Amino acid sequence: MIRYISLLPGQKAAAPLPVWPRSVAIMGSTGSIGVNALTFMNSQKERFRVVALAGARNIELLVRQALHWRPPYLGVLDDEGRKRLRAALPDSYRPEILVGPAGYAALASLPEPSIVLSAQVGAAGLAATAAAAKAGKIIALANKESLVLAGDILRGICAASGAVILPVDSEHSALFQCLEGQTRGDEPRRIILTASGGPFRGWDRSSLAAVTPEKALAHPNWSMGSKISIDSATMMNKGLEIIEAHHLYGLPAEQISVLVHPESVIHSLVEFTDGSLLAQAGTPDMRLAIAYALSWPERLEAGVERLDLAALGSLTFEKADVFLFPCLGLAVEALKNGNGLPVVLNAANEIAVARFLNREIAFIDIAGLVERAMQAHTGRAPATLEEVFALDAETRRRLS
């Protein structure tokens, strides 16, 4: 049976649905997902109350967000950030400020928020996601790395606590909407993740050797942070989404495919046993998926431009080019082989992306670094969160 972590088609959430106004904690409030979430929530301000905001180093933006929403709790990356944040806030507003991964985890497990938006970037988001799961929260998950690193472990935690994970990635939100309401016997034969193809769709491999960070950051359809923009350019992002889909919907890699769709208006599709395809379409705007996760099972006005199919004229679809974008194949290999390889894949990719952005390696070297890290790994699948964190750290040490 298909599972949305601890949510089954046709069943209510194990965690009680929050009443309006819903109280929300946002892990990663200064990133693109967090900013878009707050924009949506501000347009529906009578329906949402912010309990906690956690940023990293963008203290100036966090100060502006905090002064607007006045949450009783804030989170920052380090003590220097806490000092800067405290100094920038007026004496009339003195929230409790928590620091670092332990602080983020504490914020995610506070008794008050009914929804935790997990929107930190990369493996750093796992601690808060796990804490929210242990606390039985409804988790609006934008941090796909949590499931890439520890999908099986998080499923077990959610089953024990009654926590529910609702996807915020546009592709997984689309799949969720297509599958929601399906009954036993309606399991899909295949799920299809769409991909824009990024800024280098149609290029040849020799041309990719000269790609600069500026070119790789220029996504044709989506406005995203730097790390996810590079992942989109290499198609590693789509590979991570395959692993995420496996854990969300319980399908093996063989039943998850990728289709390049440059217009980015069909966000994903589900194929059923009888050959029927269900697709979810909408303007390429992250607020659609964010709004659905935060307001589920209701739908609220998200402030997004309506999709005009007649003006669009036509939609195009292509097979994904695994030769041009080897990161996609590496992610599928990691999922199929297991034994901790998804953790190694993700850690090596985060290191490689940072090196590329710092102009230390070429764009085409990102996949090579990830592949070498995977080939060097000989361990087993982590059985606990502590083992996940240890393998992540070990991989990063080997590549340093």
Side-chain angles (χ1 to χ4, degrees):
M1 191 63 178
I2 302 149
R3 297 179 67 90
Y4 314 111
I5 300 300
S6 61
L7 180 64
L8 300 176
Q11 291 186 339
K12 293 182 178 180
L17 289 175
V19 297
W20 302 107
R22 295 182 174 179
S23 55
V24 181
I26 301 182
M27 306 295 105
S29 67
T30 57
S32 60
I33 296 294
V35 168
N36 275 299
L38 288 172
T39 298
F40 161 68
M41 290 165 61
N42 196 55
S43 72
Q44 300 281 347
K45 201 165 185 179
E46 73 283 357
R47 290 178 174 267
F48 295 99
R49 185 168 56 85
V50 175
V51 173
L53 295 173
R57 293 188 172 89
N58 192 343
I59 302 301
E60 291 77 13
L61 177 55
L62 184 58
V63 167
R64 294 196 299 271
Q65 293 174 342
L67 291 176
H68 180 81
W69 290 95
R70 299 273 174 148
Y73 298 94
L74 298 174
V76 291
L77 184 62
D78 52 34
D79 284 322
E80 178 60 28
R82 175 164 56 182
K83 292 176 183 176
R84 290 174 56 203
L85 181 59
R86 178 67 74 194
L89 296 174
D91 291 339
S92 59
Y93 171 49
R94 310 306 283 175
E96 184 174 349
I97 302 174
L98 287 79
V99 176
Y104 298 147
L107 291 176
S109 56
L110 287 168
E112 193 172 3
S114 54
I115 300 175
V116 175
L117 173 57
S118 175
Q120 291 174 266
V121 177
L126 175 57
T129 302
K134 290 176 182 178
K137 302 294 185 180
I138 293 177
I139 304 166
L141 185 68
N143 178 257
K144 63 177 65 67
E145 289 85 357
S146 291
L147 291 178
V148 171
L149 271 64
D152 290 336
I153 297 169
L154 286 174
R155 287 178 69 94
I157 293 172
C158 288
S161 70
V164 169
I165 292 183
L166 300 176
V168 171
D169 273 342
S170 62
E171 295 82 1
H172 295 90
S173 176
L175 293 171
F176 178 77
Q177 293 177 61
C178 290
L179 289 167
E180 193 175 11
Q182 302 298 325
T183 58
R184 188 175 299 276
D186 290 336
E187 287 86 351
R189 182 166 64 184
R190 183 170 58 127
I191 58 179
I192 304 166
L193 301 167
T194 57
S196 69
F200 308 128
R201 169 179 158 264
W203 286 38
D204 58 65
R205 187 154 178 80
S206 61
S207 301
L208 293 178
V211 163
T212 63
E214 291 76 16
K215 289 181 179 178
L217 289 169
H219 195 281
N221 297 336
W222 299 94
S223 176
M224 305 177 292
S226 59
K227 196 269 180 181
I228 193 172
S229 293
I230 302 303
D231 282 351
S232 179
T234 64
M235 289 198 74
M236 177 62 87
N237 192 49
K238 207 55 52 179
L240 298 178
E241 287 174 7
I242 289 174
I243 301 174
E244 181 182 14
H246 162 74
H247 290 295
L248 281 171
Y249 305 113
L251 295 179
E254 291 77 13
Q255 290 177 259
I256 307 170
S257 59
V258 172
L259 193 61
V260 174
H261 169 50
E263 294 84 6
S264 294
V265 299
I266 302 294
H267 298 304
S268 279
L269 308 94
V270 177
E271 179 184 334
F272 292 94
T273 303
D274 62 359
S276 297
L277 283 169
L278 289 187
Q280 188 269 337
T283 303
D285 190 315
M286 277 306 304
R287 284 176 294 173
L288 278 175
I290 293 168
Y292 192 63
L294 293 179
S295 60
W296 180 83
E298 297 184 28
R299 292 183 185 270
L300 300 179
E301 170 61 50
V304 174
E305 182 180 352
R306 295 298 190 259
L307 181 62
D308 187 341
L309 290 174
L312 194 61
S314 63
L315 302 177
T316 55
F317 302 93
E318 307 164 2
K319 288 185 177 181
D321 189 340
V322 180
F323 174 76
L324 189 64
F325 301 106
C327 285
L328 183 59
L330 291 172
V332 173
E333 178 186 341
L335 174 57
K336 288 182 175 179
N337 294 331
N339 291 325
L341 278 175
V343 180
V344 175
L345 170 96
N346 184 76
N349 180 63
E350 290 189 15
I351 293 292
V353 169
R355 288 183 180 175
F356 169 67
L357 289 171
N358 289 333
R359 305 179 194 276
E360 298 171 15
I361 62 173
F363 181 80
I364 59 174
D365 293 332
I366 294 175
L369 189 152
V370 174
E371 183 174 21
R372 290 191 296 276
M374 290 174 61
Q375 290 172 344
H377 175 65
T378 58
R380 60 177 179 83
T384 64
L385 288 172
E386 291 72 23
E387 290 182 2
V388 170
F389 291 128
L391 179 54
D392 176 78
E394 177 190 339
T395 302
R396 294 169 192 271
R397 282 195 300 270
R398 286 205 312 264
L399 296 174
S400 63

